[in-house]
Amino acid sequence: MTNLTKLTIAGALNGLSKGEFTAEELTEAHIKATEAKRALNAFITETPDMARDQAKESDARRQAGKAGALDGIPLGIKDLFCTKGVLTSAASHILDGFTPQYESTVTANLKAAGAVSLGKLNLDEFAMGSSNLTSYYGGAVNPWTKTSDPSAKLVPGGSSGGSAAAVAARMVMGATGTDTGGSIRQPAAFCGITGIKPTYGRCSRWGVVAFASSLDQPGPMARTVEDCALLLGAMAGHDPKDSTSAPVAVPNFAAALTGDIRGLKVGIPQEYRPDGLNAEVSQAWEQGIQWLKDAGATPVEISLPHTKYALPVYYIVAPAEASSNLARYDGVRFGLRVPGTSLDDMYKKTRAAGFGKEVRRRIMIGTYVLSAGYYDAYYAKAQKVRRLIAEDFTKAFQTVDVILTPTAPSAAFGMTETTDDPVTMWLNDVFTIPTSLAGLPGLSLPVGLNSDGLPLGLQLIGRPFDEETLFKVAGVMETAASFTAVPEGV
Amino acid sequence: MAYVIQGETGDWELVIGLEVHAQVISKAKLFSGAATEFGAEPNSQVSFVDAGFPGMLPVINALCVEQAVRTGLGLKAQINLTSVFARKNYFYADLPQGYQISQYELPIVGEGTLLIDLPDGTTKAVGIERLHLEQDAGKSMHDQHPTKSFIDLNRSGVALMEIVSKPDMRSPEEAGAYLTKLRTILRYLETCDGNMQEGSMRCDANVSVRPVGEQGLRTRCEIKNVNSIRFVQQAIEYEARRHIDVYESGGDIRQETRLFDSGKGETRSMRSKEHAHDYRYFPDPDLLPLVIGQNFVDGIKATLPELPDDKKARFMADFGLNAYDAGVLVAERASADFFEEVAKGRDSKMAANWIMGDFFATMNSGDYSWEKPPVTAANLGGMIDLIKDGTISTRLAKDVFIFMVESGKSPAAIVEEKGLKQVTDTGAIEKAIDEVFAANPDKVAEVKGGKDKLMGWFVGQVMKATQGKANPAMLNELIAKKFKE
Amino acid sequence: MSLDKGTVRAIAELARIDVPEDELDHLAGELSGILTFVEHLSEVNTDGIAPMNSVADLGLPMRADIVTDGNQAEAVLANAPDAMDGFFTVPKVVE
């Protein structure tokens, strides 16, 4: 019973169905873990009582033979998903007290599958960041520590940093994340867990606080590839309320984990091996290639020539969309209002007080690149280059089935090591952003620890709506890597 | 004669372009499932999409797309099979998303033409620049509280068609004719009810002036949201004179948005629009390009009603009406239908006269509508039949008409009941003539002495004696005959 | 690309964010740095390339004209910082 938090989702579902333990017991164990690890600041809002009720109902459903695909599994929800009756903050001061009267499609799908929610997880404000440090509620802390300096607090990555930290610290069995430029994959890599950004359109964006609409995509984060497959199966699906949601069937993702990747061609993009790439990251990548070879796949050197432009494209497109998406936070219908002498004065004071520094900076950049006289030079230009980036992938996928790259250029860094220079900070996402711009699925899985005891992740990139191949290949790598390390205290 | 305004320095010409916001007839809003009905409790017809809540996304209403295409076809305009929704970004209290979803570079409807009917019976073609679909904003009320404005989002997200004309109009009358004709077409198409009082059709007028003979356009001002055709004309006239005064006193016109104060009959600068606008349009990433098939367009084309210009031409050709009468009758689809029903197989000129005369007068004087007309087409037609076959005179018909309005009964029943059948019995009329002659020997003598004017007096007296029932033609003939005796 | 204080002030105005006068210089520097970074794009030849506004390879889905939403004024106003008499309120606007 004490080991309930160590189970995988698949394992827990097995135990529940065999009656080895109840959903209430499973949930209680995770509530205890959540309470014990509050220092990680992974949650913005804990909802233990709601979770207990849900667990009770889950047990009743199971008794009645009506258990759903994830019945009784305790999860955490990134606080970017609107949840009916529960504070939804986007980690921003501007959403102070905002309690949605509606439930996002993805969380409603999870509820329908029987999942239990333990609460709302920390993130970078409005999902803008790679460290979780932009959260109004303070950064979540990575449960991993450096062997060389165990007292130094590390970032969990971002923006889904609370999700990654909570999963890694065994507070929840899985979590929802969202990924705009790497916000699922990079924190998954930093925290030694698995996460997948599905193809754009696979999961509904309805009810998810928008950052950059043409890039945002919800996805699961968990400790195994199979768990991610199970979660994605429940989260995904066509949603008529989201015009960009793809009308495609949801396959049985877990069934794709056959272990057989013989004959598969794996693209290795030369552009992801820049001069000065961290040697340990490079080694992990080589190791990954070797595992795939051993399993009968063929590595193929490929070129994605426009890769180096992905970051500039992203930092035009995402802020532009954000500047418009965040215009609705104006102090009128919900959230923070700072009184003003006039309507404009109220807007300006509310938005100055409500948005943090990084969010304000991105709104300003986005406003500028869309403004009269600059649209063509910045926004239109960026969207054209974006097409070239997407076409690079299309061409590559004519010869390969999947692409393997590092997830992030480094392991997790210290909470105090961050720089004030936004551009340097953004480099964290250099390997994940191209995939986002092209709308492709990308999965990060842990492959080992660096010399300082921190996890490293590798990224698999697939064809549109071919998450199954990603799961299959990731399953093989997971077996080969046998990543069993856990953070201190877990 | 071209319309000009005489200034101190010479004659000035007006250049007018109109932007009409026409509310699409639909049950639900453009991007949400909330209702569009007018006059509901505040914020009761609001979805979280309309209120710009976090995470809410737009999904387009198919009927609104259809209505835009239908209107485009009615304006003989280019239909763009691919169009794009863009965000127009600005902050305002009644704009919950902080942007309006509109169409910018690629509207659903391109260039077209509207034929306007001028009071002198001539027509003029006014170019249509474009028609695009967009969301309406909510409503701000500034007079409910000393320090606050109140916001009602019921209108927020209602589908509008913005119909932009080319700057082809040269007088307030032409602007009025344009709005009248556009409203007629929208009503024929049933794409907008054209009700300016309720705001379902609103007009912004772009006005500039130039000395007669000058080419090129001078700076224009935009007068926002004028809510009647008459006010649009007044606003244009006021604004044109203001421009002329400014130019003639050596000043320059600044491009700006102005508001029309109908009480004072003046336009004034809008304080809330003082900021230079930079709308930062970009394609809405929540919506993909709107792609419609030629089949879709052709299907709508096949169901278009006969439009007013075609109907007018047909009324002139088939019913022999003049341009004016035909124009009046086709102004509304219901009046044209009513006319056709009355005129079918009858004297169409007589039908037109009755409808445009007693019928319209009654219609306008009481609580009537086309659903509830003062007299049905069948009864009015029946009455014309009774005139034609001599049962009643035109004069009696006026009484019959009034009885029909009051009772709703058929003209035959009224004639029967009230004994209004005209007297065509020669003997009875002659008897009445004899009595009048006998009673007025002096007047008879005067007529015989050459005072022909008194003939009419005799007709009147005899008519009075028969309670107006004598057949007027017979009566005239018999009196003339009597005097010749 | 280097932004001056005036431009930053104008952007802040457009975005309706109060920026204290003494922060304008710093912000101008930051934003200029970002713009310099993104300006690498100018070296890419994009002649004849259509902007990729969405990766979704779909037409726009449409819904039927049916009333399915609304009649929830209370829920719509539930989070409002200052609702009165069924309305949202803002500081008085003079048109």
Side-chain angles (χ1 to χ4, degrees):
Chain A
M1 288 292 282
T2 49
N3 284 333
L4 286 182
T5 58
K6 304 250 165 76
L7 293 169
T8 62
I9 292 173
L13 285 169
N14 190 34
L16 286 165
S17 71
K18 287 185 179 154
E20 288 168 7
F21 46 85
T22 65
E24 276 195 89
E25 288 162 342
L26 186 63
T27 296
E28 206 54 50
H30 284 90
I31 291 171
K32 288 226 165 59
T34 299
E35 286 166 352
K37 300 205 171 66
R38 283 209 180 111
L40 294 180
N41 198 26
F43 280 82
I44 290 175
T45 307
E46 294 173 20
T47 54
D49 293 339
M50 216 177 264
R52 287 184 182 107
D53 290 346
Q54 289 171 353
K56 202 173 282 177
E57 290 164 20
S58 170
D59 284 328
R61 277 193 299 272
R62 199 170 286 283
Q63 285 277 299
K66 290 178 183 164
L70 292 173
D71 228 303
I73 299 301
L75 303 176
I77 305 299
K78 186 179 185 180
D79 204 11
L80 202 64
F81 291 81
C82 291
T83 43
K84 192 170 182 173
V86 177
L87 176 74
T88 297
S89 73
S92 181
H93 185 30
I94 208 154
L95 274 171
D96 262 8
F98 174 56
T99 310
Q101 307 286 308
Y102 47 90
E103 184 79 25
S104 83
T105 299
V106 163
T107 50
N109 287 348
L110 286 170
K111 263 190 183 165
V116 170
S117 170
L118 293 175
K120 308 295 290 289
L121 297 164
N122 206 348
L123 66 151
D124 280 296
E125 184 182 4
F126 280 103
M128 297 180 190
S130 310
S131 64
N132 219 251
L133 291 169
T134 71
S135 169
Y136 176 68
Y137 297 89
V141 181
N142 195 325
W144 294 86
T145 49
K146 292 181 190 175
T147 45
S148 63
D149 184 5
S151 65
K153 286 183 178 176
L154 304 183
V155 302
S159 68
S160 311
S163 300
V167 171
R170 274 64 177 170
M171 300 157 87
V172 296
M173 307 198 85
T176 64
T178 64
D179 191 315
T180 305
S183 281
I184 287 175
R185 293 160 286 166
Q186 184 254 20
F190 277 19
C191 292
I193 64 165
T194 301
I196 179 170
K197 180 201 93 74
T199 312
Y200 183 82
R202 176 66 92 179
C203 288
S204 171
R205 295 184 296 115
W206 193 88
V208 182
V209 174
F211 162 15
S213 309
S214 77
L215 297 159
D216 295 345
Q217 183 55 213
M221 304 170 81
R223 292 189 291 268
T224 69
V225 175
E226 185 186 17
D227 285 2
C228 279
L230 291 170
L231 288 172
L232 182 59
M235 292 164 69
H238 177 234
D239 181 4
K241 291 189 286 189
D242 174 359
S243 299
T244 62
S245 162
V248 295
V250 180
N252 180 349
F253 293 118
L257 281 113
T258 58
D260 182 4
I261 59 163
R262 283 171 299 173
L264 217 67
K265 291 204 173 75
V266 181
I268 311 299
Q270 61 188 58
E271 289 80 5
Y272 284 60
R273 195 179 282 124
D275 292 342
L277 176 64
N278 179 298
E280 288 184 304
V281 169
S282 186
Q283 263 168 27
W285 192 10
E286 292 308 324
Q287 178 63 68
I289 295 168
Q290 189 56 49
W291 288 330
L292 294 177
K293 259 197 214 164
D294 294 347
T298 314
V300 180
E301 283 283 326
I302 58 165
S303 174
L304 301 167
H306 294 92
T307 297
K308 69 169 170 168
Y309 300 111
L311 225 50
V313 166
Y314 179 85
Y315 280 100
I316 291 172
V317 173
E321 292 183 9
S323 71
S324 178
N325 282 334
L326 271 59
R328 65 189 57 198
Y329 304 99
D330 60 5
V332 178
R333 296 163 316 284
F334 40 77
L336 180 74
R337 167 183 291 196
V338 179
T341 54
S342 67
L343 179 63
D344 274 340
D345 190 45
M346 185 272 281
Y347 283 156
K348 289 180 200 167
K349 286 187 170 138
T350 299
R351 291 165 61 80
F355 292 134
K357 190 171 160 190
E358 179 70 12
V359 173
R360 290 200 305 269
R361 185 155 56 200
R362 294 201 199 189
I363 290 174
M364 300 272 284
I365 277 291
T367 301
Y368 181 73
V369 299
L370 288 175
S371 64
Y374 299 100
Y375 179 86
D376 288 332
Y378 290 107
Y379 188 76
K381 180 77 181 184
Q383 294 286 39
K384 287 176 185 171
V385 179
R386 180 180 185 180
R387 184 174 296 281
L388 295 174
I389 291 166
E391 283 171 359
D392 283 353
F393 281 107
T394 308
K395 278 178 208 142
F397 281 119
Q398 285 166 3
T399 53
V400 301
D401 301 296
V402 68
I403 294 169
L404 181 71
T405 77
T407 306
S410 71
F413 47 86
M415 292 178 83
T416 54
E417 283 172 45
T418 59
T419 156
D420 197 38
D421 173 22
V423 175
T424 307
M425 194 67 189
W426 294 349
L427 290 171
N428 273 294
D429 299 327
V430 67
F431 297 142
T432 47
I433 277 178
T435 325
S436 293
L437 291 172
L440 302 173
L443 179 151
S444 177
L445 80 161
V447 291
L449 300 179
N450 71 5
S451 56
D452 214 356
L454 297 180
L456 294 173
L458 289 181
Q459 173 182 234
L460 290 159
I461 303 166
R463 296 189 178 98
F465 298 104
D466 188 16
E467 287 86 356
E468 287 165 284
T469 298
L470 293 192
F471 284 127
K472 180 159 68 181
V473 178
V476 169
M477 292 182 71
E478 184 179 54
T479 306
S482 63
F483 181 79
T484 52
V486 291
E488 189 66 29
V490 166
Chain B
M1 258 292 281
Y3 178 93
V4 294
I5 295 181
Q6 286 177 341
E8 285 172 14
T9 58
D11 287 350
W12 295 80
E13 175 182 55
L14 275 62
V15 179
I16 304 157
L18 298 178
E19 288 172 23
V20 169
H21 288 89
Q23 182 180 327
V24 174
I25 294 179
S26 65
K27 293 191 188 79
K29 293 182 181 179
L30 181 56
F31 294 115
S32 88
T36 58
E37 260 166 71
F38 181 78
E41 286 294 304
N43 292 306
S44 65
Q45 294 182 166
V46 179
S47 78
F48 291 114
V49 178
D50 310 321
F53 271 64
M56 294 297 96
L57 297 172
V59 181
I60 199 165
N61 181 334
L63 182 75
C64 296
V65 174
E66 196 180 317
Q67 294 284 55
V69 171
R70 191 184 307 280
T71 307
L73 291 171
L75 297 172
K76 312 215 180 315
Q78 164 78 33
I79 306 298
N80 294 325
L81 297 182
T82 298
S83 61
V84 172
F85 285 97
R87 293 184 183 176
K88 179 180 181 176
N89 295 284
Y90 65 97
F91 286 88
Y92 197 60
D94 54 24
L95 190 75
Q97 294 161 306
Y99 55 85
Q100 176 193 35
I101 305 177
S102 181
Q103 295 190 299
Y104 185 53
E105 280 181 343
L106 262 178
I108 187 163
V109 177
E111 293 188 336
T113 313
L114 185 77
L115 214 56
I116 61 172
D117 303 288
L118 298 168
D120 64 1
T122 60
T123 58
K124 170 177 171 170
V126 173
I128 300 291
E129 177 71 33
R130 58 186 278 154
L131 176 156
H132 66 250
L133 277 169
E134 64 182 27
Q135 306 174 291
D136 203 349
K139 198 174 160 198
S140 305
M141 274 152 280
H142 308 303
D143 49 7
Q144 312 277 313
H145 189 278
T147 60
K148 296 170 196 219
S149 289
F150 282 21
I151 311 297
D152 173 13
L153 298 178
N154 280 347
R155 292 193 81 106
S156 170
V158 167
L160 300 178
M161 296 179 285
E162 180 171 328
I163 304 165
V164 183
S165 84
K166 292 186 183 286
D168 286 352
M169 286 156 278
R170 295 288 174 270
S171 69
E173 287 67 33
E174 287 185 7
Y178 173 88
L179 291 172
T180 304
K181 187 59 171 285
L182 179 60
R183 187 169 60 181
T184 297
I185 290 178
L186 294 173
R187 284 178 173 166
Y188 263 66
L189 295 167
E190 294 175 28
T191 57
C192 170
D193 69 20
N195 189 329
M196 291 185 85
Q197 281 72 48
E198 287 182 3
S200 46
M201 185 167 142
R202 307 196 287 272
C203 180
D204 303 343
N206 285 299
V207 179
S208 66
V209 300
R210 62 187 175 194
V212 170
E214 182 176 296
Q215 298 300 309
L217 301 174
R218 293 198 176 192
T219 306
R220 63 189 157 87
C221 289
E222 183 181 16
I223 311 161
K224 276 269 177 221
N225 270 335
V226 195
N227 65 1
S228 86
I229 293 177
R230 194 164 55 91
F231 289 157
V232 171
Q233 293 180 316
Q234 282 177 13
I236 289 170
E237 184 151 2
Y238 176 88
E239 185 63 12
R241 287 191 186 277
R242 189 182 71 85
H243 284 214
I244 293 166
D245 289 347
V246 168
Y247 287 130
E248 292 192 330
S249 60
D252 229 339
I253 291 294
R254 189 168 59 97
Q255 183 160 351
E256 62 175 349
T257 303
R258 298 177 69 86
L259 210 57
F260 181 65
D261 181 331
S262 57
K264 293 183 184 155
E266 293 173 4
T267 65
R268 62 176 163 83
S269 201
M270 262 179 104
R271 284 175 60 182
S272 61
K273 301 264 176 181
E274 267 171 10
H275 292 299
H277 272 173
D278 186 341
Y279 290 125
R280 291 159 283 135
Y281 281 101
F282 74 108
D284 191 331
D286 287 332
L287 293 162
L288 304 165
L290 172 60
V291 181
I292 52 176
Q294 189 58 48
N295 288 351
F296 177 79
V297 177
D298 292 343
I300 296 169
K301 207 173 207 165
T303 64
L304 283 191
E306 183 184 29
L307 289 169
D309 290 333
D310 298 330
K311 208 182 269 290
K312 181 179 168 189
R314 180 165 64 81
F315 280 12
M316 289 168 71
D318 292 4
F319 294 110
L321 299 185
N322 62 36
Y324 177 80
D325 288 358
V328 171
L329 289 171
V330 304
E332 283 187 70
R333 197 166 156 181
S335 66
D337 289 348
F338 190 86
F339 165 74
E340 284 208 77
E341 199 181 335
V342 175
K344 197 178 175 188
R346 303 196 174 93
D347 181 335
S348 51
K349 184 67 194 163
M350 192 183 268
N353 286 343
W354 274 97
I355 292 169
M356 292 166 64
D358 295 47
F359 180 84
F360 276 175
T362 313
M363 184 101 160
N364 294 334
S365 67
D367 182 23
Y368 298 109
S369 66
W370 288 109
E371 289 74 45
K372 202 181 75 127
V375 170
T376 65
N379 282 346
L380 187 57
M383 192 194 81
I384 289 170
D385 291 341
L386 293 179
I387 297 171
K388 272 288 168 186
D389 68 13
T391 307
I392 54 172
S393 63
T394 302
R395 194 183 170 287
L396 275 178
K398 294 206 175 261
D399 296 337
V400 172
F401 185 86
I402 291 166
F403 288 130
M404 286 199 297
V405 172
E406 285 169 357
S407 67
K409 288 180 182 163
S410 77
I414 288 165
V415 168
E416 192 59 42
E417 194 178 292
K418 307 263 178 193
L420 291 176
K421 203 170 156 113
Q422 75 179 335
V423 177
T424 52
D425 171 0
T426 315
I429 298 173
E430 280 175 338
K431 183 166 168 273
I433 293 172
D434 290 344
E435 281 165 17
V436 172
F437 271 50
N440 300 286
D442 47 335
K443 289 211 167 63
V444 172
E446 279 183 55
V447 172
K448 284 190 173 163
K451 203 167 177 185
D452 285 355
K453 274 188 186 165
L454 268 176
M455 285 279 281
W457 183 83
F458 277 96
V459 172
Q461 290 301 304
V462 178
M463 198 54 107
K464 204 168 161 188
T466 60
Q467 285 104 50
K469 286 181 279 187
N471 179 306
M474 287 174 75
L475 176 56
N476 278 314
E477 194 183 315
L478 289 169
I479 287 183
K481 209 169 107 194
K482 188 83 182 168
F483 276 118
K484 280 180 193 150
E485 275 171 9
Chain C
M1 184 75 189
S2 153
L3 297 183
D4 58 23
K5 245 164 109 164
T7 308
V8 175
R9 202 185 286 118
I11 301 169
E13 177 69 34
L14 262 181
R16 297 296 188 278
I17 297 175
D18 244 356
V19 178
E21 198 61 24
D22 59 3
E23 283 180 23
L24 284 173
D25 275 329
H26 176 70
L27 198 53
E30 259 182 25
L31 297 182
S32 300
I34 294 169
L35 289 172
T36 305
F37 169 67
V38 300
E39 266 155 19
H40 292 302
L41 292 184
S42 59
E43 57 191 68
V44 185
N45 181 354
T46 51
D47 294 349
I49 306 293
M52 188 181 208
N53 296 317
S54 175
V55 299
D57 194 12
L58 302 161
L60 184 62
M62 302 195 207
R63 52 170 239 280
D65 181 38
I66 302 168
V67 175
T68 56
D69 211 336
N71 281 320
Q72 45 163 4
E74 216 172 290
V76 165
L77 293 160
N79 279 285
D82 185 32
M84 279 179 78
D85 305 335
F87 294 94
F88 296 103
T89 70
V90 297
K92 197 176 187 78
V93 176
V94 183
E95 287 210 315

